[in-house]
Amino acid sequence: MNSNRKGKEGERELANLLKDRYGYDCRRGQQFCGSNGDADVVGLPGIHIECKRVEKLNIYEAVEQSINDAREGEMPTVMHRKNRKDWLVTMTMEDWMELYEKQRIHRDQ
């Protein structure tokens, strides 16, 4: 399978996972209108998703791409997996701590 096709299939797979398992109305970001600066997968407000479905990933380059492409108010996030492995989520420590603090404050109320 070529890398472009594998990437598109990975985006569909991730969007379907977020929709079917977690209930978010997600879809491929570029499925209707071509390259327009959208995230690879859209539907999680405030999160810019770069989707990587590869065996060898330079995670720092992927995070940098997400940082560069994220819009104001979006947390750059890379969701990635290899064949026969679970999906992983990578983001900066600062953004992860912001999410954690929001969750902790909400839980403690």
Side-chain angles (χ1 to χ4, degrees):
M1 179 183 310
N2 71 35
S3 61
N4 192 25
R5 190 169 127 213
K6 186 174 184 177
K8 288 177 184 178
E9 287 188 10
E11 291 167 6
R12 278 191 290 276
E13 176 187 339
L14 178 60
N16 288 334
L17 174 69
L18 292 168
K19 183 183 297 184
D20 297 341
R21 186 179 299 173
Y22 300 103
Y24 291 96
D25 187 22
C26 293
R27 62 172 175 79
R28 286 186 58 229
Q30 300 177 14
Q31 68 182 4
F32 297 115
C33 50
S35 182
N36 61 3
D38 275 347
D40 291 338
V41 175
V42 296
L44 296 181
I47 305 293
H48 178 92
I49 300 172
E50 287 297 325
C51 176
K52 302 296 182 185
R53 183 67 178 77
V54 296
E55 293 305 297
K56 294 185 181 204
L57 175 62
N58 183 325
I59 193 63
Y60 286 97
E61 284 182 10
V63 169
E64 191 67 31
Q65 178 185 357
S66 189
I67 289 169
N68 291 335
D69 292 349
R71 294 185 174 122
E72 182 75 26
E74 291 181 326
M75 283 188 173
T77 306
V78 179
M79 297 187 181
H80 52 99
R81 84 172 188 89
K82 294 180 178 185
N83 290 337
R84 297 174 293 283
K85 299 290 183 182
D86 291 335
W87 283 95
L88 300 176
V89 178
T90 301
M91 58 188 353
T92 66
M93 175 69 84
E94 182 177 332
D95 286 342
W96 189 87
M97 288 304 300
E98 183 179 331
L99 286 177
Y100 179 79
E101 286 296 316
K102 286 178 183 177
Q103 178 273 335
R104 187 184 61 78
I105 290 168
H106 178 73
R107 184 191 64 219
D108 292 345
Q109 290 179 350

